[in-house]
Amino acid sequence: MKTSDFYYDLPKELIAQHPAEKRDCSRLMVIGRKSGEIRHEYFYNIIDELNSGDCLILNNTKVLPARLYGVKEETGAHVEFLLLVNRGDDVWEVITGPGKRAKPGSRFTFGNGLLKCEVIDVLEGGNRLAKFSYEGNFYNILDEIGQMPLPPYITEKLSDNSRYQTVYGEKLGSAAAPTAGLHFTEELLEKIKEKGVKIGYVTLHVGLGTFRPVKVSDISEHTMHSEHYWLPKETADLINDTKKNGGRVISVGTTSCRTLESVATFKGKIEESEGWTNIFIYPGYEFKCIDGLITNFHLPESTLIMLVSAFCGYENTMNFYNVAVQDKYRFFSFGDACFIA
C-alpha cells in the first residue's frame, strides 16, 4: 500500500489545541470492527460498551517535562533541549536547538543553574549525548523547570501540565502522552471495575518518533522507531485468564496495542516480557492478542492510522475518519476518541 492511501483532508480548526473541560466528556465514536457501523456517544458512556469479564489494558507511562530552555555557558546564547532517552549515569540522548550551538565540549545551564550539562557526542541523525550535573533529585528538578513536550501541532500553551498526563501514569519516561488514556477519570475507572471489567497495566515509553512522518511512498519500506516496553506477569496472567474465560482484551491506545502485539509476535504467547520494540502494524497484519481498541483520531499518513486500518479494515477506517471530519470531531492528542470492537 502507498502512504498516500492514508491521506484525508483535515481542516486546521479540527485539531484540538486544549483538552476537554472534563476528561471523560470528550466525544466517542463507536465503530463495529467487522460491520463498519458507526454510533456517536460521549466518552463517559464507554462503560456501556464494556462487558463483565472483559479486561482493559492501559499504558501507565508518565510524560517527562522534558523540554528545557537554557543558555550556553560560553556565550549566553539561548538554547532548547528535549530529553529523549536516559542512557544511564546522567547521560541523556537529546534534541538540541539550534544544533550548531551544541558541539562536543559545549556546556549549558538551565533553571538558573539548577541543571547543567556538557555535550559529549553527536549521534548519527544529529541527536546529541549530554551528561547532566545537579544537586538533589534530577526528576524533581525537571518538575520544577521543565515543560511538557507537546506535539508540534499544538500551538497553544498548556496551563496545567497534569492534563497531558493520564490519571494512572506512574512510570516516568515518555516523550509524549499515551493520549487514549487521557479520557479516563478515576471515577470512571472505578465504575468500570464495579461492572466486572478487570484493568491491567503495561509500560511503553512513547518516543517522539510517534510524530515522525512516513517519508517513503511504499509503506512496507518504512522503518519504525524503537520504544522500550514492559509487560508484567500480573498483566500477562490477566490477559490469559480473560481469553480463557471468553472475555475480550481491549487495548487503551496504540501504545498498549503495540506492546501486546509485540510480545505475542516475538514470544508466540502472552507472558512477562521486557525489551525494545519497533513493530510496525499496517493492513495485512494478523492480530494475535487484542479484541478491541480505544484510540484517538490520528494524523493523515501516520503509522498510527495505518495501525487502526489494520485492525478495523482500510475501507471502514477511511470511512469513519471522513465521518469524523464531517461531524466536526476534535482530532489528535487532545481530541475525541473512538472505540473499535
Side-chain angles (χ1 to χ4, degrees):
M1 298 186 76
K2 301 296 184 184
T3 300
S4 58
D5 292 335
F6 297 90
Y7 177 80
Y8 64 93
D9 189 28
L10 179 68
K12 187 177 179 180
E13 63 268 21
L14 297 186
I15 300 174
Q17 293 296 313
H18 52 81
E21 187 172 344
K22 193 168 185 291
R23 289 177 184 265
D24 61 359
C25 287
S26 295
R27 295 173 73 187
L28 175 71
M29 184 183 287
V30 180
I31 304 112
R33 182 184 178 189
K34 300 299 183 186
S35 67
E37 179 185 349
I38 294 171
R39 288 187 289 110
H40 303 281
E41 301 284 351
Y42 285 93
F43 197 84
Y44 49 73
N45 289 328
I46 189 71
I47 192 168
D48 297 328
E49 308 301 326
L50 306 175
N51 304 322
S52 177
D54 289 343
C55 72
L56 283 182
I57 305 299
L58 302 98
N59 182 5
N60 63 4
T61 189
K62 193 170 184 179
V63 185
L64 284 169
R67 195 179 299 278
L68 296 168
Y69 295 96
V71 295
K72 188 173 183 178
E73 289 187 357
E74 296 91 335
T75 64
H78 291 277
V79 293
E80 176 184 344
F81 273 44
L82 186 61
L83 306 180
L84 294 182
V85 181
N86 183 354
R87 299 294 188 185
D89 196 28
D90 291 320
V91 173
W92 283 77
E93 182 178 341
V94 301
I95 295 175
T96 63
K100 62 183 179 181
R101 293 178 180 161
K103 296 177 181 177
S106 300
R107 298 185 61 82
F108 301 89
T109 184
F110 308 91
N112 294 318
L114 286 176
L115 199 58
K116 296 183 178 183
C117 79
E118 179 180 345
V119 173
I120 58 176
D121 198 7
V122 178
L123 303 177
E124 184 179 351
N127 292 353
R128 269 62 173 171
L129 290 182
K131 184 167 178 67
F132 285 85
S133 58
Y134 51 90
E135 291 185 8
N137 183 282
F138 180 80
Y139 294 104
N140 289 344
I141 295 171
L142 273 191
D143 280 337
E144 184 176 344
I145 68 173
Q147 295 188 22
M148 283 296 177
L150 295 179
Y153 48 73
I154 296 177
T155 57
E156 295 182 11
K157 189 170 182 179
L158 183 63
S159 59
D160 178 3
N161 277 356
S162 70
R163 293 306 306 273
Y164 196 57
Q165 303 278 22
T166 63
V167 297
Y168 49 81
E170 62 174 21
K171 307 289 187 183
L172 271 171
S174 267
T179 53
L182 296 178
H183 303 283
F184 288 91
T185 64
E186 292 174 350
E187 294 79 11
L188 181 58
L189 288 169
E190 282 304 313
K191 289 179 181 177
I192 288 171
K193 291 177 186 175
E194 289 169 5
K195 189 173 181 177
V197 178
K198 300 290 177 63
I199 294 178
Y201 297 95
V202 296
T203 305
L204 182 136
H205 292 316
V206 189
L208 286 181
T210 193
F211 304 116
R212 189 176 299 149
V214 178
K215 295 183 178 180
V216 294
S217 59
D218 183 342
I219 65 173
S220 66
E221 296 175 359
H222 177 69
T223 300
M224 285 289 286
H225 57 289
S226 289
E227 294 168 318
H228 188 262
Y229 72 87
W230 178 47
L231 172 61
K233 183 179 185 302
E234 56 266 31
T235 303
D237 290 345
L238 170 62
I239 291 169
N240 290 326
D241 288 345
T242 299
K243 291 280 193 182
K244 184 174 69 175
N245 295 325
R248 298 177 299 173
V249 175
I250 297 167
S251 170
V252 177
T254 57
T255 59
S256 298
C257 170
R258 292 182 70 239
T259 301
L260 298 179
E261 294 298 323
S262 293
V263 174
T265 298
F266 303 151
K267 303 285 188 177
K269 59 182 178 179
I270 293 295
E271 64 180 14
E272 181 179 9
S273 182
E274 181 176 8
W276 292 81
T277 180
N278 64 348
I279 191 171
F280 182 18
I281 297 174
Y282 56 89
Y285 175 84
E286 183 177 338
F287 284 82
K288 303 166 185 66
C289 181
I290 74 167
D291 305 296
L293 176 66
I294 297 170
T295 189
N296 283 16
F297 294 92
H298 304 294
L299 278 73
E301 301 184 336
S302 66
T303 60
L304 302 181
I305 192 175
M306 293 171 191
L307 183 153
V308 173
S309 297
F311 187 68
C312 191
Y314 173 77
E315 300 288 345
N316 288 343
T317 299
M318 301 314 292
N319 178 59
F320 81 71
Y321 264 74
N322 287 328
V323 170
V325 171
Q326 292 166 14
D327 284 14
K328 299 189 184 311
Y329 274 69
R330 300 168 76 240
F331 280 68
F332 306 164
S333 295
F334 286 144
D336 297 316
C338 57
F339 174 53
I340 307 166

